[in-house]
Amino acid sequence: EVQLVQSGAEVKKPGESLKISCQGSGYSFTSYWIAWVRQTPGKGLEWVGIIYLGGSDIRYSPSFQGQVTISADKSIRTAYLQWSSLRASDTAMYYCARQAVVGYFDYWGQGTLVTVSS
Amino acid sequence: EIVLTQSPGTLSLSPGERATLSCRASQSVSNYLGWYQQKPGQAPRLLIYDASNRATGIPARFSGSGSGTDFTLTISSLEPEDFAVYYCQQRTNWPWTFGQGTKVEIK
């Protein structure tokens, strides 16, 4: 069974750093792209970026370029999304998802709620 | 960035009725348009890709059509589990984008 399991909810203060994770199981991890998607009540669903686990390709949405870093540790089948300095505007639900067909994502993690507040 | 505009914002229907949801793109996306369903507290679920192809395990009551800038998701006969929010998404140009969603609620 294909599963993407994300790390738990986080509450952080502005300026703090954070790294959330997404561990895949039940499929050939390095054969797929993984995306990170942000969801907020105000802006809806937004693509943060995507990473190819079979190589070194990473692509960021222009809105998130320079604001976050996407990485992976293939040895433990885990993708990451990290911030060096959080802002209140980073408060959102973040999902990881596996690409099924180019540009479409069939399996999703359960989501990680990130709350940034002083 | 391609903007996707969904209509209506909310659709109030009864179980058994037909639902027709629309998605309009700010420029042509060819047929590179998909649809997702999201229920409260859950992640999105892929229903349709490339305008008209059902994803694995998706019931036949869900169908998609359209090309260019105008697309439609049709649910032929609403089941109780179909009441949810539906999003369209394009993959023509990076960054891919989602529409703002259509909520299908029980009348």
Side-chain angles (χ1 to χ4, degrees):
Chain A
E1 179 194 7
V2 175
Q3 281 193 307
L4 296 175
V5 179
Q6 298 185 227
S7 49
E10 301 275 2
V11 179
K12 292 289 189 179
K13 290 182 166 46
E16 292 186 333
S17 63
L18 176 64
K19 192 173 190 177
I20 63 174
S21 65
C22 168
Q23 184 172 46
S25 63
Y27 70 99
S28 177
F29 189 69
T30 56
S31 297
Y32 291 85
W33 291 76
I34 291 285
W36 286 97
V37 177
R38 183 173 80 174
Q39 186 168 32
T40 59
K43 293 189 174 182
L45 293 162
E46 302 171 276
W47 298 97
V48 176
I50 53 174
I51 180 169
Y52 179 54
L53 284 313
S56 58
D57 288 354
I58 303 174
R59 194 185 294 184
Y60 295 95
S61 173
S63 299
F64 293 90
Q65 181 82 47
Q67 308 304 311
V68 298
T69 301
I70 293 171
S71 62
D73 184 338
K74 299 165 195 177
S75 69
I76 55 171
R77 306 170 62 89
T78 300
Y80 300 98
L81 176 64
Q82 68 180 91
W83 296 260
S84 58
S85 181
L86 286 159
R87 299 179 288 193
S89 57
D90 294 317
T91 295
M93 179 70 80
Y94 292 86
Y95 292 101
C96 64
R98 187 193 81 162
Q99 180 169 272
V101 177
V102 174
Y104 305 110
F105 292 76
D106 58 351
Y107 285 93
W108 293 63
Q110 81 277 18
T112 296
L113 180 62
V114 174
T115 304
V116 184
S117 174
S118 55
Chain B
E1 182 173 301
I2 295 175
V3 176
L4 299 179
T5 302
Q6 294 186 239
S7 61
T10 301
L11 200 50
S12 298
L13 294 168
S14 301
E17 289 194 293
R18 183 183 189 90
T20 303
L21 289 67
S22 294
C23 178
R24 175 163 288 179
S26 59
Q27 65 188 77
S28 177
V29 298
S30 184
N31 68 326
Y32 300 139
L33 192 286
W35 293 91
Y36 292 82
Q37 175 194 68
Q38 188 177 32
K39 298 179 182 179
Q42 297 184 17
R45 173 195 181 198
L46 179 64
L47 300 175
I48 300 287
Y49 65 93
D50 286 349
S52 60
N53 298 290
R54 273 191 300 277
T56 302
I58 301 304
R61 64 180 181 273
F62 291 92
S63 64
S65 63
S67 67
T69 60
D70 290 292
F71 299 85
T72 300
L73 174 70
T74 301
I75 310 171
S76 59
S77 178
L78 283 163
E79 296 288 339
E81 63 267 28
D82 298 336
F83 292 91
V85 180
Y86 293 83
Y87 296 94
C88 57
Q89 177 238 316
Q90 64 83 19
R91 68 156 180 110
T92 299
N93 290 341
W94 181 258
W96 304 324
T97 49
F98 289 95
Q100 83 280 15
T102 289
K103 182 179 182 180
V104 178
E105 66 176 22
I106 300 176
K107 186 174 181 180

